[in-house]
């Protein structure tokens, strides 16, 4: 692997942590050390920053991201605390544990970060630089491992090989002490506690009975096994090149004429903008379809027609999610 070119690599002193928090606030990305691996962080509340994370990593699908927060209280403001979640948090946070919780409706987190799921993964890291950055930033930081999708997760700054433009800084600190990604455990209401990814906390240390839902890792199957993918109530018709009667339109680029209602993923046909808008626009059209059906006193919801999205870059991930949503 080659050393990262073109991204300022900064020691994690107070001034640089402040600079990094500023960059996050302005929607840019920051690479920072955690006790597990280096993370590629962005403002979890920003659709655009989260879309940039997926673009930079080249993730083939919108595999949901772990939201890093300062403490358990902040974590449980994003996802509902079950009794087991509280016990695990008290024992292992801060540290290499991520909890998948039921997402709270008021969580200020991009729908793209949780891939439209009803759940959310949260983690309180223990690395002093990660903690200082979270404190300075004040909100949730969405952060996957700072590797290109499919490559090794970096534990040294010289192993980071990400494309430069969206990344403001690489903060350098003491190397990760764990060196392995966090253990991911789902604690959802009325569901057995289950281990979704083995990781930095040995299973033997977890004194709660666990079911094992799946093995590792960057496959979207773990969330898939656990809970529903986002699926609108309204039927979806993909690759629409003309409108049929009564349909709503999810447009990309110049919208097709004659839709009852239109949301445009990106008027300029920009895939990153489209990714940032995907789940919010689908949810909006779904609500609109429900409203129209209710007004017409029918249980048949109008179809949402979706214009073709090119199958490259983030378009592949968008099409992956749309195909799943259409199946649901
Ligand atoms: O140690 C770590 O967890 C590192 C550092 C940077 O914190 N982060 C990390 O993130 O490994 P990432 O994106 O490489 O892996 C996140 C894992 C994926 O396997 C993903 O499917 C799972 O967490 N995950 C995230 N949200 C989920 C959800 N709502 N339901 C189920 N699985 C989820
Ligand atoms: Mg990873």
């Amino acid at each position: 692997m080659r050393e990262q070119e073109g991204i300022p690599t900064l020691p994690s002193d107070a001034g640089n942590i402040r600079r990094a928090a500023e960059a996050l606030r302005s929607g840019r990305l920051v690479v920072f050390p955690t006790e597990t691996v280096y993370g590629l962080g962005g403002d979890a509340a920003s659709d655009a920053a989260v879309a940039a994370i997926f673009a930079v990593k080249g993730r083939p699908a919108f595999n949901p991201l772990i939201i890093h927060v300062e403490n358990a209280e902040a974590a449980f403001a994003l996802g509902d605390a079950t009794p087991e979640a509280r016990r695990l948090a008290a024992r292992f946070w801060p540290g290499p544990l991520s909890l998948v919780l039921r997402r709270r409706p008021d969580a200020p987190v991009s729908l793209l970060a949780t891939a439209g799921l009803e759940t959310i993964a949260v983690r309180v890291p223990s690395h002093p630089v990660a903690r200082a950055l979270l404190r300075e930033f004040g909100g949730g930081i969405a952060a996957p491992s700072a590797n290109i999708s499919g490559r090794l997760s970096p534990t040294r700054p010289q192993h980071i090989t990400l494309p430069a433009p969206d990344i403001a800084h690489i903060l350098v600190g003491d190397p990760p002490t764990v060196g392995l990604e966090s253990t991911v455990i789902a604690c959802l209401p009325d569901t057995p506690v289950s281990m979704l990814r083995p990781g930095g906390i040995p299973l033997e240390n977890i004194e709660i009975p666990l079911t094992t839902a799946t093995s590792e890792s960057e496959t979207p199957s773990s969330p898939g096994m656990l809970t529903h993918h986002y699926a609108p109530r309204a039927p979806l018709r993909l690759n629409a090149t003309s409108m049929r009667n009564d349909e709503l339109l999810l447009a990309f680029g110049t919208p097709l004429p004659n839709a009852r209602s239109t949301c445009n993923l990106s008027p300029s046909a920009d895939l990153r903008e489209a990714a940032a808008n995907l789940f919010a626009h689908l949810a909006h059209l779904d609500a609109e379809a429900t409203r129209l059906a209710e007004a017409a006193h029918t249980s048949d919801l109008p179809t949402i027609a979706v214009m073709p999205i090119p199958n490259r870059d983030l378009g592949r991930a968008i099409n992956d999610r749309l195909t799943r949503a259409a199946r649901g």
Side-chain angles (χ1 to χ4, degrees):
M1 288 197 246
R2 73 184 163 77
E3 179 146 4
Q4 184 67 48
E5 281 156 29
I7 306 175
T9 298
L10 307 175
S12 305
D13 56 39
N16 286 334
I17 298 241
R18 245 194 329 274
R19 238 163 254 134
E22 272 304 308
L24 290 174
R25 264 179 230 120
S26 69
R28 302 196 68 205
L29 308 183
V30 171
V31 174
F32 64 98
T34 83
E35 72 280 19
T36 61
V37 298
Y38 271 83
L40 171 65
D43 178 357
S46 160
D47 290 322
V50 171
I53 291 176
F54 285 110
V56 165
K57 277 187 67 87
R59 274 207 191 193
F62 296 127
N63 196 359
L65 304 178
I66 296 169
I67 312 305
H68 297 64
V69 290
E70 216 189 318
N71 50 42
E73 191 193 342
F76 295 137
L78 303 181
D80 288 324
T82 62
E84 291 85 0
R86 280 194 197 287
R87 272 173 59 194
L88 290 169
R91 166 113 201 252
F92 295 111
W93 278 348
L97 171 72
S98 295
L99 292 177
V100 171
L101 307 173
R102 185 168 67 190
R103 183 182 161 130
R104 294 177 63 102
D106 55 350
V109 170
S110 157
L111 292 178
L112 183 60
T114 51
L117 297 170
E118 289 159 10
T119 57
I120 187 166
V122 286
R123 163 161 132 75
V124 179
S126 63
H127 193 290
V129 173
R131 293 176 68 69
L133 182 62
L134 284 164
R135 211 175 310 118
E136 185 70 32
F137 177 59
I141 299 179
S145 45
N147 55 308
I148 301 275
S149 204
R151 306 268 186 82
L152 288 179
S153 300
T155 54
R156 298 288 182 278
Q158 63 269 27
H159 294 164
I160 295 163
T161 58
L162 294 168
D166 296 287
I167 304 175
H169 310 291
I170 296 176
L171 282 178
V172 174
D174 290 340
T177 49
V178 178
L180 195 70
E181 288 97 335
S182 60
T183 300
V184 181
I185 294 181
C187 295
L188 297 169
D190 311 316
T191 312
V193 176
S194 68
M195 217 255 319
L196 301 182
R197 178 175 77 177
I201 291 179
L203 283 192
E204 294 71 27
N205 294 8
I206 296 170
E207 293 152 341
I208 287 181
L210 289 174
T211 62
T212 308
T214 177
S215 60
E216 252 273 293
S217 97
E218 300 223 338
T219 69
S221 66
S222 72
M225 292 186 65
L226 185 69
T227 178
H228 305 291
H229 278 291
Y230 181 79
R233 295 180 58 212
L236 284 189
R237 185 168 71 82
L238 304 185
N239 297 313
T241 50
S242 65
M243 296 304 289
R244 299 182 187 157
N245 270 349
D246 287 343
E247 284 180 332
L248 313 184
L249 176 64
L250 187 62
F252 179 80
T254 307
L256 296 170
N258 304 324
R260 274 172 100 179
S261 178
T262 298
C263 274
N264 202 332
L265 289 172
S266 171
S268 63
D270 175 72
L271 287 168
R272 200 183 285 195
E273 183 185 24
N277 286 329
L278 177 67
F279 291 108
H281 281 13
L282 268 178
H284 178 85
L285 285 175
D286 202 27
E288 179 73 0
T290 305
R291 199 184 59 73
L292 287 167
E294 275 165 9
H297 304 288
T298 167
S299 56
D300 290 337
L301 271 63
T303 296
I304 301 171
V306 184
M307 289 176 66
I309 315 281
N311 218 22
R312 60 177 157 76
D313 304 327
L314 282 186
R316 282 182 298 136
I318 294 171
N319 285 323
D320 171 87
R321 270 357 202 202
L322 284 170
T323 308
R324 286 168 204 274
R327 261 194 246 121

